[in-house]
Amino acid sequence: MQVYADNAATTKMSSTAVQAMLYGMEKVYGNPSSLHTVGQQAAEAMQAARQKIASCIGATANEITFTSGGSEADNQAILSAAAIGARKGKKHIVSTAFEHHAVLHTLDQLKKQGYEVELLPVGPIGTVTAQQVEDAIREDTCLVSVMYANNEVGSILPIGEIGAVCRRHGVLFHTDAVQAAGHLAIQVEEQNIDLLSLSAHKFHGPKGIGVLYARKGIPLVSLIQGGAQERHKRAGTENLPAILGMAAALEEACDHLEENAAKVSRLRDQLVEGLSRIPHSALNGDPVHRLPGNVSFCFEGIEGESLLLLLDSKGICASSGSACTSGSLDPSHVLLALGRPHEVAHGSLRLSLCAENTEAEVEYLLKEIPAVVEYLRSISPMWKDLVRGKRQFVL
Ligand SMILES: *Cc1c(COP(=O)(O)O)cnc(C)c1O
């Protein structure tokens, strides 16, 4: 059996999105900047896609800028807010310790330019409260950037409350909603969101395309210099097939948001319950406010990498931490931010489901994973030390 349970890393494109891309490649092949009919057909298709995406998040079409994905949108949002801050002499930024590297590394860059960055601790379940954010806001705060939902441990953060706090204090609020878009409701007005990033390949759209939503009146700095595309906010001929694929995928996801969430969270809960029976294991992330598809565990006494390889040999595609940190031997900054000790963070497993996963697949996972964990423990020196009392169990 082949089980793809790594939807937080990327998703399979939906056939609706594939069809929309094919239409873009075969039928509306013009350059949207061209003044002739073929170009204008492309421009119209692009405008319709922009409108579709705007409707899904409660924005207007003019507030949507197409980017090459979530990382670029995060970079542009943060650098734009920082530039606005600098003009007012405000160089303090509040964010969290478990943001995606697209946010954290951009903040590192700003630190080198004299900005002060405060990363809020996320506590053992991996969340921050609006109160924490409010306490951190100062006179010179120019930006609060807090992710909507965490990609590794699945916590959903109280974005609406945080948005309200930022609005009250007149501070720009950015949210990396890459894991939320297409999975959780987004309403930029109600939630007081000023800047928002999303990425198509996390909701069954194509890779290499995303959106930066910027509230009307917020000037964006362009990361790429060139032509006047995207109203001077992102130079370069637009990737129209990908834009059409993204719009189709987002619309489809938003049309089925609730039924998909209900289905996927049922599967998630079965997995969480089953895997919790493994001794010396623990769920990572918020047990209540949790992405419908996210199952994240630490198993004491094993190495996540070996777990992944053995699971792969059984046809199970999962991840430890995020796809971006796998490959390096450093434990995930997210699990460390939750207070997991290094050796425990190393034994992590993330399963991320989508609406295409089935009960039968969950049964297969619940048969194979405990057996693989038991096998790895039987050959693990670390586990031997734990059992013999040479080392203390943490979980
Ligand atoms: C995947 C992801 C990103 C990066 O998006 P890309 O489109 O792959 O650049 C950013 N933030 C979060 C939370 C993500 O999960």
Side-chain angles (χ1 to χ4, degrees):
M1 196 177 212
Q2 166 94 27
V3 182
Y4 185 76
D6 203 10
N7 287 279
T10 198
T11 57
K12 181 179 141 187
M13 278 183 71
S14 74
S15 55
T16 316
V18 172
Q19 290 310 313
M21 278 192 88
L22 283 175
Y23 175 76
M25 290 188 270
E26 293 173 346
K27 307 285 186 211
V28 282
Y29 52 84
N31 185 328
S33 299
S34 297
L35 293 178
H36 48 64
T37 309
V38 170
Q40 286 314 293
Q41 282 165 352
E44 272 166 38
M46 187 166 73
Q47 186 58 19
R50 202 186 296 279
Q51 183 56 56
K52 229 181 235 183
I53 289 164
S55 306
C56 290
I57 64 170
T60 60
N62 285 345
E63 296 171 314
I64 302 297
T65 301
F66 296 122
T67 67
S68 67
S71 300
E72 185 185 330
D74 281 342
N75 278 244
Q76 193 172 11
I78 291 166
L79 295 175
S80 299
I84 297 166
R87 288 198 288 275
K88 299 178 183 163
K90 296 182 175 190
K91 295 183 101 175
H92 177 244
I93 298 173
V94 177
S95 188
T96 81
F98 74 164
E99 295 296 315
H100 191 272
H101 281 135
V103 168
L104 290 178
H105 290 168
T106 308
L107 294 175
D108 285 342
Q109 183 184 331
L110 287 172
K111 265 195 261 182
K112 289 187 193 127
Q113 297 168 20
Y115 288 80
E116 192 183 332
V117 175
E118 200 169 329
L119 299 182
L120 299 174
V122 295
I125 66 167
T127 195
V128 298
T129 62
Q131 188 62 52
Q132 265 177 289
V133 172
E134 183 152 36
D135 293 344
I137 289 176
R138 312 191 310 211
E139 278 296 301
D140 61 341
T141 305
C142 61
L143 169 68
V144 168
S145 179
V146 175
M147 68 200 321
Y148 198 139
N150 183 273
N151 47 309
E152 287 186 37
V153 298
S155 301
I156 299 171
L157 283 78
I159 289 313
E161 292 169 38
I162 293 170
V165 161
C166 294
R167 184 56 51 87
R168 215 176 319 123
H169 291 270
V171 175
L172 286 178
F173 175 44
H174 166 248
T175 187
D176 173 341
V178 174
Q179 290 291 330
H183 306 284
L184 304 172
I186 298 176
Q187 283 299 323
V188 291
E189 288 300 327
E190 276 168 42
Q191 294 172 303
N192 287 306
I193 296 164
D194 297 310
L195 296 151
L196 176 143
S197 319
L198 60 80
S199 174
H201 75 99
K202 304 288 176 73
F203 51 80
H204 306 281
K207 291 163 186 59
I209 189 77
V211 156
L212 171 55
Y213 156 82
R215 178 177 298 282
K216 184 172 184 290
I218 298 177
L220 294 179
V221 295
S222 183
L223 305 186
I224 298 178
Q225 312 310 320
Q229 290 91 354
E230 297 300 282
R231 304 157 94 232
H232 297 278
K233 289 179 283 196
R234 212 280 184 178
T237 303
E238 300 85 348
N239 185 351
L240 187 57
I243 290 169
L244 300 185
M246 168 164 65
L250 188 61
E251 185 178 52
E252 189 178 32
C254 292
D255 283 348
H256 301 278
L257 201 78
E258 275 160 34
E259 61 183 273
N260 284 347
K263 183 195 169 193
V264 177
S265 30
R266 237 182 351 260
L267 299 176
R268 172 200 67 192
D269 292 345
Q270 285 169 16
L271 274 174
V272 169
E273 196 196 299
L275 295 178
S276 301
R277 298 211 189 98
I278 297 175
H280 303 287
S281 69
L283 178 72
N284 299 311
D286 194 320
V288 181
H289 303 106
R290 191 170 191 89
L291 281 171
N294 178 287
V295 177
S296 169
F297 269 84
C298 281
F299 303 111
E300 213 164 353
I302 63 166
E303 287 286 341
E305 306 282 314
S306 341
L307 179 58
L308 288 187
L309 291 176
L310 279 180
L311 290 178
D312 187 40
S313 75
K314 303 200 178 285
I316 298 170
C317 302
S319 120
S320 70
S322 72
C324 331
T325 35
S326 339
S328 81
L329 283 175
D330 294 337
S332 129
H333 72 286
V334 173
L335 294 173
L336 295 181
L338 267 64
R340 297 280 189 224
H342 276 243
E343 65 277 15
V344 173
H346 269 303
S348 65
L349 174 71
R350 179 188 70 185
L351 303 165
S352 41
L353 308 172
C354 73
E356 275 192 25
N357 289 112
T358 63
E359 295 260 353
E361 289 178 349
V362 166
E363 275 168 33
Y364 182 70
L365 292 171
L366 286 177
K367 181 166 79 74
E368 295 299 336
I369 296 170
V372 171
V373 170
E374 196 175 313
Y375 167 72
L376 285 173
R377 282 175 172 173
S378 75
I379 57 167
S380 151
M382 206 203 308
W383 182 253
K384 209 173 273 172
D385 286 352
L386 288 163
V387 174
R388 289 185 182 158
K390 282 194 194 161
R391 196 196 259 269
Q392 291 294 308
F393 279 108
V394 183
L395 305 179

